[in-house]
Amino acid sequence: AQTVTQSQPEMSVQEAETVTLSCTYDTSESDYYLFWYKQPPSRQMILVIRQEAYKQQNATENRFSVNFQKAAKSFSLKISDSQLGDAAMYFCAYRSARGGTASKLTFGTGTRLQVTL
Amino acid sequence: DGGITQSPKYLFRKEGQNVTLSCEQNLNHDAMYWYRQDPGQGLRLIYYSQIVNDFQKGDIAEGYSVSREKKESFPLTVTSAQKNPTAFYLCASSTQGTGGTGELFFGEGSRLTVL
């Protein structure tokens, strides 16, 4: 079974600074998706960024980028120019690309990000 | 607007009562999921369904039941057999197979409190 590990329960960053959230995963598959979801106090899960495992290029969405190291099974999220609105729980998640019964999303335990002035 | 609607947002239940959480989607997605969220444990999969009239147990299915009679709807019943039902419940949907973007789309969640 796949597992996703987020080793940082809490992180803090000053406004306008850069922070990196860590995620590692375990799988025997070669084709899969990786995601970072944000959960603000409203508790709505919002997709931040996705990465297809077959793509070597790291995904980027505005201030958010990932460092995807397939061999190391590592998928970290970098937030640049942090803003107060970035304060939230961040979840790393894995999904097999095979579909069918493998289509469920497996989540890490989350990292709570605080943004200070 | 396409999306996922969960109701109710807040629900209180007495011990020993069954309660049903509603989840409706108009995204035309084949797959639907129910997750439970507890502090410090992330999201854990309760049940999921890939097509109408079919569903599979997730990691923590005991004390829960589901049905999938329509593509748009995937209600979750929390039964009296669930020992610790107080939690936040999230419903999600996605496309199936190898097409699409692979992501799950989530509803706004339902908070269940057992008194």
Side-chain angles (χ1 to χ4, degrees), chain A residues 33 35 37 39 42-47 50 52 89 91 95 97-110, chain B residues 33 35 37 40-43 45 48 50 56 59 88 90 94-104 106-108 111:
Chain A
Y33 302 99
F35 307 90
Y37 279 88
Q39 188 180 42
S42 68
R43 307 200 78 171
Q44 173 80 54
M45 294 288 284
I46 301 165
L47 179 67
R50 82 171 65 80
E52 289 93 340
M89 281 289 287
F91 292 97
R95 185 184 187 191
R98 284 191 288 121
T101 56
S103 64
K104 58 186 179 180
L105 210 62
T106 300
F107 287 87
T109 53
Chain B
Y33 311 80
Y35 285 88
Q37 186 176 21
Q41 297 198 49
L43 278 72
L45 183 65
Y48 63 108
Q50 300 167 80
Q56 289 80 37
D59 302 316
F88 187 66
L90 282 160
S94 73
T95 56
Q96 261 297 86
T98 55
T101 56
E103 73 193 75
L104 266 59
F106 286 86
E108 294 184 340
R111 174 72 184 177

Side-chain angles (χ1 to χ4, degrees), chain A residues 64-106:
Chain A
F64 299 88
S65 62
V66 298
N67 183 3
F68 173 48
Q69 302 289 329
K70 192 172 184 178
K73 296 180 183 175
S74 171
F75 183 60
S76 61
L77 174 70
K78 187 172 79 171
I79 305 174
S80 303
D81 185 25
S82 296
Q83 300 175 0
L84 293 177
D86 294 334
M89 281 289 287
Y90 286 82
F91 292 97
C92 178
Y94 168 100
R95 185 184 187 191
S96 169
R98 284 191 288 121
T101 56
S103 64
K104 58 186 179 180
L105 210 62
T106 300

